Amino acid sequence: MRYVYPAVFYQGKEAVTVYFPDLACVSQGKDYKDAFRCAKEGLSLHIFGMLEDDEKLPAPSRLESIKLSEDEALTLIEVDLKDFEPDWSI
């Protein structure tokens, strides 16, 4: 159960924000490394929830179709739900 979606990163005043153009999923981290870790966790939880609710996952956008502003960076985030167990205590 491996999924790969494009993610857009941008540096805000106090945090690095990450959003997934194909999903209603947004995450933040204190720096880029932390934002990447949080984005993987957020994407896993979002996909897990959609699958639990029997929602259809959208196809990932092609990278070249995503328009960025000059202060944004684009990358792919890969998650594997094979071993994913959400922590509902957070």
Side-chain angles (χ1 to χ4, degrees):
M1 295 178 36
R2 181 170 99 45
Y3 301 92
V4 179
Y5 277 92
V8 178
F9 286 67
Y10 63 92
Q11 176 69 57
K13 290 183 180 183
E14 297 181 20
V16 176
T17 299
V18 184
Y19 69 89
F20 294 87
D22 302 308
L23 303 162
C25 182
V26 178
S27 183
Q28 283 189 326
K30 62 183 180 218
D31 54 32
Y32 280 94
K33 183 177 179 180
D34 187 49
F36 188 84
R37 181 190 60 76
C38 291
K40 284 186 70 107
E41 184 177 331
L43 180 60
S44 296
L45 192 57
H46 190 84
I47 291 173
F48 180 85
M50 289 183 73
L51 295 174
E52 285 287 303
D53 293 341
D54 291 322
E55 294 180 45
K56 185 178 180 201
L57 293 173
S61 294
R62 297 177 54 89
L63 294 181
E64 58 272 4
S65 72
I66 299 172
K67 305 295 184 231
L68 301 174
S69 66
E70 63 183 46
D71 61 341
E72 294 179 324
L74 180 65
T75 191
L76 293 172
I77 303 285
E78 178 181 351
V79 296
D80 189 344
L81 298 188
K82 179 180 60 170
D83 299 319
F84 179 72
E85 292 185 33
D87 179 1
W88 299 115
S89 66
I90 47 177

